[in-house]
């Protein structure tokens, strides 16, 4: 049961994702969360380093769509200046926003990865849709809202259960 919360890959940040390997493995698109995945929840725009990463995504031949549970204003203020398409008020982990993002990119599940900082929304939602899931460490836990803080408590329970079955092996940096 808890295996649906297990990501295919865990990295510290989006900058640690091997984009060329993903492309070589047949992936053509990235669905990414926004808050605490790309920037802190209270950071309105992309950092220069992140803008450079978006360019590397394009150069690697990958498409990208932001899927966020946040509101239109938050997501559009971030994504529009970068000409990145997005799905706001996504209601992850439901499947509809993932399918909408794949439709925007014109891709199938086996060509798509999901990148996010939460097991309960990004990883669980992506796994339920048969997508390759990548879990990153959250950028700024102190800026998270109540709903996310509740999810973090549930994540600790899930990680403990996965650890007892031997599926969550490495030291957890999230504590």
């Amino acid at each position: 049961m808890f295996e649906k919360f297990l990501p295919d890959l865990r990295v510290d940040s989006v900058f640690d994702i091997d984009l060329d390997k993903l492309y070589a493995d047949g992936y053509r698109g990235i669905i990414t969360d926004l808050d605490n995945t790309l920037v802190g929840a209270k950071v309105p725009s992309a950092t220069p380093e992140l803008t450079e990463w978006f360019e590397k995504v394009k150069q690697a031949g990958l498409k990208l769509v932001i899927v966020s549970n946040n509101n239109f204003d938050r997501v559009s203020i971030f994504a529009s200046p970068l000409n990145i398409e997005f799905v706001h008020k996504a209601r992850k982990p439901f499947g509809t926003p993932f399918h909408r993002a794949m439709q925007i990119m014109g891709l199938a599940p086996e060509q798509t990865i999901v990148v996010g900082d939460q097991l309960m929304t990004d990883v669980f939602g992506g796994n339920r849709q048969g997508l390759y899931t990548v879990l990153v460490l959250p950028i700024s836990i102190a800026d998270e809202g109540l709903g996310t803080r509740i999810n973090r408590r549930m994540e600790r329970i899930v990680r403990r259960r996965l650890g007892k079955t031997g599926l969550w092996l490495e030291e957890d940096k999230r504590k």
Side-chain angles (χ1 to χ4, degrees):
M1 172 184 159
F2 288 98
E3 287 82 7
K4 283 286 186 190
F5 295 98
L6 192 64
D8 294 300
L9 176 66
R10 291 193 288 163
V11 294
D12 288 346
S13 76
V14 294
F15 307 113
D16 298 317
I17 299 170
D18 186 338
L19 300 171
D20 293 327
K21 181 177 181 343
L22 288 175
Y23 189 88
D25 289 345
Y27 296 102
R28 297 297 180 262
I30 298 172
I31 296 171
T32 182
D33 180 44
L34 172 57
D35 294 326
N36 278 332
T37 298
L38 299 176
V39 293
K42 293 187 178 180
V43 176
S45 56
T47 64
E49 183 182 31
L50 186 60
T51 301
E52 185 179 315
W53 184 77
F54 287 141
E55 189 55 39
K56 288 179 182 177
V57 168
K58 287 180 192 173
Q59 289 172 358
L62 299 165
K63 298 175 184 179
L64 184 133
V65 174
I66 294 171
V67 175
S68 174
N69 284 348
N70 215 320
N71 63 47
F72 177 83
D73 288 343
R74 164 64 176 138
V75 185
S76 67
I77 287 169
F78 179 88
S80 294
L82 300 165
N83 293 317
I84 295 175
E85 295 202 59
F86 61 90
V87 177
H88 68 285
K89 287 190 178 178
R91 299 183 62 217
K92 294 179 289 183
F94 292 110
T96 304
F98 296 99
H99 289 283
R100 176 73 184 117
M102 286 186 284
Q103 182 182 39
I104 289 168
M105 293 186 288
L107 298 175
E110 61 273 8
Q111 298 174 294
T112 309
I113 72 163
V114 174
V115 179
D117 68 304
Q118 291 190 60
L119 292 177
M120 309 309 288
T121 57
D122 307 308
V123 173
F124 181 57
N127 283 344
R128 289 178 61 217
Q129 305 314 310
L131 307 175
Y132 184 86
T133 53
V134 180
L135 182 68
V136 299
L137 293 173
I139 293 171
S140 179
I141 292 176
D143 293 338
E144 294 179 335
L146 178 62
T148 304
R149 283 186 270 153
I150 291 168
N151 279 349
R152 297 281 183 219
R153 288 177 186 246
M154 293 188 328
E155 284 181 357
R156 282 195 289 274
I157 294 166
V158 170
R159 288 193 318 264
R160 273 196 297 267
R161 292 283 174 101
L162 288 169
K164 286 180 181 180
T165 62
L167 294 174
W168 198 274
L169 300 177
E170 302 107 70
E171 178 184 332
D172 185 13
K173 297 176 184 177
R174 295 166 194 267
K175 300 189 180 169

